[in-house]
mmCIF file of all heavy atoms in Angstrom:
data_model
loop_
_atom_site.group_PDB
_atom_site.id
_atom_site.type_symbol
_atom_site.label_atom_id
_atom_site.label_comp_id
_atom_site.label_asym_id
_atom_site.label_seq_id
_atom_site.Cartn_x
_atom_site.Cartn_y
_atom_site.Cartn_z
ATOM 1 N N TRP A 448 -89.105 7.630 36.798
ATOM 2 C CA TRP A 448 -88.915 8.740 35.858
ATOM 3 C C TRP A 448 -88.750 10.031 36.666
ATOM 4 O O TRP A 448 -89.512 10.315 37.570
ATOM 5 C CB TRP A 448 -90.118 8.874 34.933
ATOM 6 C CG TRP A 448 -90.029 7.979 33.726
ATOM 7 C CD1 TRP A 448 -90.572 6.756 33.579
ATOM 8 C CD2 TRP A 448 -89.347 8.281 32.504
ATOM 9 N NE1 TRP A 448 -90.283 6.230 32.336
ATOM 10 C CE2 TRP A 448 -89.514 7.165 31.646
ATOM 11 C CE3 TRP A 448 -88.604 9.374 32.033
ATOM 12 C CZ2 TRP A 448 -88.998 7.103 30.368
ATOM 13 C CZ3 TRP A 448 -88.075 9.322 30.749
ATOM 14 C CH2 TRP A 448 -88.264 8.196 29.932
ATOM 15 N N ILE A 449 -87.718 10.825 36.325
ATOM 16 C CA ILE A 449 -87.390 12.051 37.046
ATOM 17 C C ILE A 449 -87.446 13.229 36.075
ATOM 18 O O ILE A 449 -86.918 13.151 34.959
ATOM 19 C CB ILE A 449 -85.986 11.970 37.678
ATOM 20 C CG1 ILE A 449 -85.911 10.796 38.669
ATOM 21 C CG2 ILE A 449 -85.617 13.281 38.361
ATOM 22 C CD1 ILE A 449 -86.836 10.920 39.851
ATOM 23 N N LEU A 450 -88.106 14.301 36.498
ATOM 24 C CA LEU A 450 -88.013 15.584 35.796
ATOM 25 C C LEU A 450 -86.958 16.403 36.523
ATOM 26 O O LEU A 450 -87.147 16.797 37.676
ATOM 27 C CB LEU A 450 -89.364 16.296 35.797
ATOM 28 C CG LEU A 450 -89.350 17.733 35.242
ATOM 29 C CD1 LEU A 450 -88.864 17.748 33.799
ATOM 30 C CD2 LEU A 450 -90.716 18.378 35.368
ATOM 31 N N ASP A 451 -85.845 16.644 35.854
ATOM 32 C CA ASP A 451 -84.702 17.335 36.455
ATOM 33 C C ASP A 451 -84.593 18.719 35.816
ATOM 34 O O ASP A 451 -84.448 18.828 34.594
ATOM 35 C CB ASP A 451 -83.423 16.520 36.225
ATOM 36 C CG ASP A 451 -82.249 17.068 37.022
ATOM 37 O OD1 ASP A 451 -82.443 18.061 37.740
ATOM 38 O OD2 ASP A 451 -81.159 16.492 36.913
ATOM 39 N N SER A 452 -84.676 19.776 36.625
ATOM 40 C CA SER A 452 -84.536 21.137 36.100
ATOM 41 C C SER A 452 -83.567 21.896 36.992
ATOM 42 O O SER A 452 -83.526 21.693 38.211
ATOM 43 C CB SER A 452 -85.898 21.847 36.053
ATOM 44 O OG SER A 452 -86.493 21.880 37.340
ATOM 45 N N GLY A 453 -82.761 22.752 36.395
ATOM 46 C CA GLY A 453 -81.763 23.490 37.158
ATOM 47 C C GLY A 453 -81.298 24.710 36.401
ATOM 48 O O GLY A 453 -81.554 24.870 35.197
ATOM 49 N N LYS A 454 -80.556 25.559 37.132
ATOM 50 C CA LYS A 454 -80.091 26.805 36.527
ATOM 51 C C LYS A 454 -78.839 27.277 37.248
ATOM 52 O O LYS A 454 -78.668 27.026 38.445
ATOM 53 C CB LYS A 454 -81.196 27.865 36.628
ATOM 54 C CG LYS A 454 -80.982 29.070 35.743
ATOM 55 C CD LYS A 454 -82.216 29.958 35.748
ATOM 56 C CE LYS A 454 -82.054 31.132 34.793
ATOM 57 N NZ LYS A 454 -83.249 32.008 34.787
ATOM 58 N N VAL A 455 -77.960 27.955 36.493
ATOM 59 C CA VAL A 455 -76.746 28.533 37.095
ATOM 60 C C VAL A 455 -77.168 29.691 37.975
ATOM 61 O O VAL A 455 -77.856 30.626 37.535
ATOM 62 C CB VAL A 455 -75.765 28.998 36.006
ATOM 63 C CG1 VAL A 455 -74.599 29.765 36.635
ATOM 64 C CG2 VAL A 455 -75.243 27.789 35.221
ATOM 65 N N MET A 456 -76.739 29.662 39.253
ATOM 66 C CA MET A 456 -77.133 30.687 40.228
ATOM 67 C C MET A 456 -76.094 31.785 40.363
ATOM 68 O O MET A 456 -76.434 32.913 40.729
ATOM 69 C CB MET A 456 -77.370 30.039 41.594
ATOM 70 C CG MET A 456 -78.381 28.896 41.567
ATOM 71 S SD MET A 456 -79.971 29.360 40.859
ATOM 72 C CE MET A 456 -80.528 30.526 42.079
ATOM 73 N N SER A 457 -74.826 31.517 40.107
ATOM 74 C CA SER A 457 -73.791 32.545 40.242
ATOM 75 C C SER A 457 -72.615 32.238 39.348
ATOM 76 O O SER A 457 -72.356 31.074 39.010
ATOM 77 C CB SER A 457 -73.319 32.655 41.699
ATOM 78 O OG SER A 457 -72.802 31.404 42.143
ATOM 79 N N ARG A 458 -71.917 33.298 38.953
ATOM 80 C CA ARG A 458 -70.741 33.180 38.095
ATOM 81 C C ARG A 458 -69.618 34.032 38.676
ATOM 82 O O ARG A 458 -69.865 34.959 39.467
ATOM 83 C CB ARG A 458 -71.059 33.644 36.673
ATOM 84 C CG ARG A 458 -72.136 32.824 35.985
ATOM 85 C CD ARG A 458 -72.478 33.359 34.598
ATOM 86 N NE ARG A 458 -73.519 32.571 33.961
ATOM 87 C CZ ARG A 458 -73.314 31.502 33.204
ATOM 88 N NH1 ARG A 458 -72.060 31.102 32.981
ATOM 89 N NH2 ARG A 458 -74.321 30.837 32.665
ATOM 90 N N ASP A 459 -68.388 33.771 38.279
ATOM 91 C CA ASP A 459 -67.266 34.561 38.763
ATOM 92 C C ASP A 459 -67.109 35.814 37.906
ATOM 93 O O ASP A 459 -67.924 36.083 37.012
ATOM 94 C CB ASP A 459 -65.988 33.721 38.814
ATOM 95 C CG ASP A 459 -65.588 33.200 37.441
ATOM 96 O OD1 ASP A 459 -66.150 33.691 36.433
ATOM 97 O OD2 ASP A 459 -64.738 32.291 37.367
ATOM 98 N N GLN A 460 -66.040 36.578 38.159
ATOM 99 C CA GLN A 460 -65.836 37.839 37.461
ATOM 100 C C GLN A 460 -65.664 37.655 35.953
ATOM 101 O O GLN A 460 -66.012 38.538 35.176
ATOM 102 C CB GLN A 460 -64.605 38.555 38.034
ATOM 103 C CG GLN A 460 -64.783 39.007 39.477
ATOM 104 C CD GLN A 460 -63.545 39.649 40.027
ATOM 105 O OE1 GLN A 460 -62.478 39.596 39.412
ATOM 106 N NE2 GLN A 460 -63.665 40.276 41.204
ATOM 107 N N SER A 461 -65.132 36.491 35.545
ATOM 108 C CA SER A 461 -64.946 36.244 34.114
ATOM 109 C C SER A 461 -66.167 35.619 33.474
ATOM 110 O O SER A 461 -66.150 35.270 32.299
ATOM 111 C CB SER A 461 -63.722 35.350 33.900
ATOM 112 O OG SER A 461 -63.906 34.103 34.565
ATOM 113 N N GLY A 462 -67.230 35.429 34.233
ATOM 114 C CA GLY A 462 -68.456 34.869 33.669
ATOM 115 C C GLY A 462 -68.547 33.367 33.742
ATOM 116 O O GLY A 462 -69.516 32.778 33.240
ATOM 117 N N CYS A 463 -67.575 32.715 34.346
ATOM 118 C CA CYS A 463 -67.619 31.253 34.448
ATOM 119 C C CYS A 463 -68.579 30.852 35.579
ATOM 120 O O CYS A 463 -68.545 31.445 36.656
ATOM 121 C CB CYS A 463 -66.231 30.693 34.739
ATOM 122 S SG CYS A 463 -65.071 30.973 33.411
ATOM 123 N N PRO A 464 -69.444 29.855 35.353
ATOM 124 C CA PRO A 464 -70.394 29.445 36.382
ATOM 125 C C PRO A 464 -69.668 28.804 37.556
ATOM 126 O O PRO A 464 -68.744 28.004 37.392
ATOM 127 C CB PRO A 464 -71.287 28.429 35.665
ATOM 128 C CG PRO A 464 -70.461 27.916 34.547
ATOM 129 C CD PRO A 464 -69.585 29.043 34.116
ATOM 130 N N ILE A 465 -70.106 29.187 38.768
ATOM 131 C CA ILE A 465 -69.489 28.599 39.955
ATOM 132 C C ILE A 465 -70.522 27.905 40.833
ATOM 133 O O ILE A 465 -70.155 27.189 41.761
ATOM 134 C CB ILE A 465 -68.735 29.668 40.769
ATOM 135 C CG1 ILE A 465 -69.687 30.786 41.187
ATOM 136 C CG2 ILE A 465 -67.564 30.208 39.985
ATOM 137 C CD1 ILE A 465 -69.044 31.833 42.075
ATOM 138 N N ARG A 466 -71.807 28.115 40.548
ATOM 139 C CA ARG A 466 -72.828 27.455 41.356
ATOM 140 C C ARG A 466 -74.070 27.227 40.502
ATOM 141 O O ARG A 466 -74.482 28.094 39.743
ATOM 142 C CB ARG A 466 -73.188 28.306 42.580
ATOM 143 C CG ARG A 466 -74.210 27.625 43.500
ATOM 144 C CD ARG A 466 -74.670 28.555 44.589
ATOM 145 N NE ARG A 466 -75.676 27.934 45.425
ATOM 146 C CZ ARG A 466 -76.499 28.595 46.236
ATOM 147 N NH1 ARG A 466 -76.416 29.922 46.315
ATOM 148 N NH2 ARG A 466 -77.401 27.960 46.967
ATOM 149 N N MET A 467 -74.639 25.999 40.668
ATOM 150 C CA MET A 467 -75.843 25.652 39.921
ATOM 151 C C MET A 467 -76.763 24.872 40.852
ATOM 152 O O MET A 467 -76.309 23.976 41.578
ATOM 153 C CB MET A 467 -75.483 24.809 38.684
ATOM 154 C CG MET A 467 -76.656 24.452 37.816
ATOM 155 S SD MET A 467 -76.106 23.555 36.324
ATOM 156 C CE MET A 467 -77.672 23.207 35.551
ATOM 157 N N CYS A 468 -78.055 25.204 40.836
ATOM 158 C CA CYS A 468 -79.031 24.538 41.696
ATOM 159 C C CYS A 468 -80.177 24.007 40.844
ATOM 160 O O CYS A 468 -80.449 24.510 39.748
ATOM 161 C CB CYS A 468 -79.591 25.506 42.743
ATOM 162 S SG CYS A 468 -78.345 26.145 43.875
ATOM 163 N N GLY A 469 -80.866 22.992 41.385
ATOM 164 C CA GLY A 469 -81.986 22.423 40.643
ATOM 165 C C GLY A 469 -82.839 21.560 41.528
ATOM 166 O O GLY A 469 -82.543 21.330 42.711
ATOM 167 N N ILE A 470 -83.928 21.083 40.953
ATOM 168 C CA ILE A 470 -84.856 20.230 41.694
ATOM 169 C C ILE A 470 -85.151 18.972 40.903
ATOM 170 O O ILE A 470 -85.093 18.952 39.661
ATOM 171 C CB ILE A 470 -86.169 20.980 42.014
ATOM 172 C CG1 ILE A 470 -86.827 21.476 40.724
ATOM 173 C CG2 ILE A 470 -85.932 22.101 42.986
ATOM 174 C CD1 ILE A 470 -88.198 22.076 40.949
ATOM 175 N N HIS A 471 -85.474 17.877 41.638
ATOM 176 C CA HIS A 471 -85.898 16.605 41.068
ATOM 177 C C HIS A 471 -87.384 16.413 41.363
ATOM 178 O O HIS A 471 -87.816 16.589 42.504
ATOM 179 C CB HIS A 471 -85.131 15.430 41.686
ATOM 180 C CG HIS A 471 -83.662 15.473 41.435
ATOM 181 N ND1 HIS A 471 -83.120 15.633 40.192
ATOM 182 C CD2 HIS A 471 -82.603 15.366 42.294
ATOM 183 C CE1 HIS A 471 -81.806 15.623 40.269
ATOM 184 N NE2 HIS A 471 -81.446 15.464 41.540
ATOM 185 N N THR A 472 -88.144 16.027 40.341
ATOM 186 C CA THR A 472 -89.561 15.729 40.530
ATOM 187 C C THR A 472 -89.834 14.308 40.041
ATOM 188 O O THR A 472 -89.427 13.951 38.925
ATOM 189 C CB THR A 472 -90.438 16.712 39.745
ATOM 190 O OG1 THR A 472 -90.087 18.041 40.114
ATOM 191 C CG2 THR A 472 -91.921 16.482 40.046
ATOM 192 N N ASP A 473 -90.499 13.513 40.879
ATOM 193 C CA ASP A 473 -90.843 12.144 40.505
ATOM 194 C C ASP A 473 -92.086 12.190 39.594
ATOM 195 O O ASP A 473 -93.187 12.549 40.026
ATOM 196 C CB ASP A 473 -91.127 11.324 41.769
ATOM 197 C CG ASP A 473 -91.389 9.851 41.432
ATOM 198 O OD1 ASP A 473 -91.413 9.513 40.238
ATOM 199 O OD2 ASP A 473 -91.566 9.048 42.375
ATOM 200 N N ILE A 474 -91.904 11.845 38.312
ATOM 201 C CA ILE A 474 -93.013 11.865 37.337
ATOM 202 C C ILE A 474 -93.325 10.449 36.841
ATOM 203 O O ILE A 474 -93.840 10.278 35.738
ATOM 204 C CB ILE A 474 -92.673 12.789 36.151
ATOM 205 C CG1 ILE A 474 -91.393 12.317 35.460
ATOM 206 C CG2 ILE A 474 -92.539 14.236 36.597
ATOM 207 C CD1 ILE A 474 -91.108 13.030 34.151
ATOM 208 N N THR A 475 -93.006 9.456 37.646
ATOM 209 C CA THR A 475 -93.172 8.063 37.222
ATOM 210 C C THR A 475 -94.631 7.749 36.890
ATOM 211 O O THR A 475 -94.927 7.151 35.839
ATOM 212 C CB THR A 475 -92.679 7.111 38.324
ATOM 213 O OG1 THR A 475 -91.336 7.434 38.660
ATOM 214 C CG2 THR A 475 -92.743 5.669 37.856
ATOM 215 N N GLU A 476 -95.551 8.158 37.758
ATOM 216 C CA GLU A 476 -96.957 7.839 37.536
ATOM 217 C C GLU A 476 -97.483 8.524 36.279
ATOM 218 O O GLU A 476 -98.214 7.930 35.478
ATOM 219 C CB GLU A 476 -97.783 8.270 38.760
ATOM 220 C CG GLU A 476 -99.218 7.763 38.737
ATOM 221 C CD GLU A 476 -99.301 6.242 38.687
ATOM 222 O OE1 GLU A 476 -98.418 5.582 39.288
ATOM 223 O OE2 GLU A 476 -100.226 5.720 38.044
ATOM 224 N N ARG A 477 -97.076 9.764 36.082
ATOM 225 C CA ARG A 477 -97.493 10.470 34.874
ATOM 226 C C ARG A 477 -96.972 9.782 33.613
ATOM 227 O O ARG A 477 -97.669 9.656 32.609
ATOM 228 C CB ARG A 477 -96.979 11.915 34.930
ATOM 229 C CG ARG A 477 -97.585 12.832 33.876
ATOM 230 C CD ARG A 477 -96.766 14.090 33.732
ATOM 231 N NE ARG A 477 -95.591 13.851 32.896
ATOM 232 C CZ ARG A 477 -94.590 14.715 32.749
ATOM 233 N NH1 ARG A 477 -94.588 15.843 33.436
ATOM 234 N NH2 ARG A 477 -93.573 14.437 31.966
ATOM 235 N N LYS A 478 -95.735 9.308 33.665
ATOM 236 C CA LYS A 478 -95.141 8.616 32.532
ATOM 237 C C LYS A 478 -95.874 7.315 32.220
ATOM 238 O O LYS A 478 -96.059 6.954 31.056
ATOM 239 C CB LYS A 478 -93.662 8.324 32.807
ATOM 240 C CG LYS A 478 -92.752 9.482 32.499
ATOM 241 C CD LYS A 478 -92.680 9.704 30.998
ATOM 242 C CE LYS A 478 -91.687 10.770 30.628
ATOM 243 N NZ LYS A 478 -91.619 10.963 29.156
#
Side-chain angles (χ1 to χ4, degrees):
W448 274 96
I449 300 297
L450 173 59
D451 190 0
S452 58
K454 195 171 184 180
V455 172
M456 305 305 294
S457 59
R458 298 177 181 271
D459 61 13
Q460 294 178 349
S461 60
C463 295
I465 58 176
R466 183 187 178 198
M467 183 176 177
C468 298
I470 58 173
H471 298 309
T472 306
D473 184 356
I474 59 171
T475 305
E476 190 59 34
R477 192 196 80 190
K478 277 290 185 179

